[in-house]
Amino acid sequence: MDHITDALDRAVRAEQRPIPVSTGARTRFLLKSEGTRALAQRLGVSPRTVQRYATGQIKHPRADVAQRLEAAVRERWQPRVRARALRRAA
């Protein structure tokens, strides 16, 4: 099963634009779909820290927060493109 999920992930990534690279861009992307408090709870930081990420005052979050931030962006990044790629791959 692991080979199948890896192949599906590669198919999806081939059709998508790359996710935002900077912490600020990733945070602003997530803030469009959820509020500051919800994102702060999801990342395990304070709402003020989320605001600092978005404005660029903090550019390098802790490693665990950076992983959670990347995972959150990946799961919400271009959902229609992801769905289309999965339909084609299936």
Side-chain angles (χ1 to χ4, degrees), residues 69-87:
L69 184 62
E70 182 177 354
V73 171
R74 281 197 188 279
E75 83 180 30
R76 291 181 180 230
W77 187 246
Q78 294 187 324
R80 293 189 338 200
V81 173
R82 180 183 300 118
R84 184 179 63 223
L86 291 177
R87 277 196 310 271

Side-chain angles (χ1 to χ4, degrees), residues 26-45 47 50-51 54 68-69 71-77:
R26 289 177 178 181
T27 305
R28 286 188 297 273
F29 170 73
L30 290 172
L31 283 174
K32 289 180 187 175
S33 61
E34 56 187 288
T36 304
R37 284 188 183 185
L39 182 57
Q41 287 179 344
R42 186 175 190 166
L43 297 177
V45 295
V50 170
Q51 292 172 349
R68 287 192 293 264
L69 184 62
V73 171
R74 281 197 188 279
E75 83 180 30
R76 291 181 180 230
W77 187 246

Side-chain angles (χ1 to χ4, degrees), residues 59-71:
K59 295 183 182 185
H60 304 288
R62 295 187 324 249
D64 60 329
V65 175
Q67 289 175 348
R68 287 192 293 264
L69 184 62
E70 182 177 354

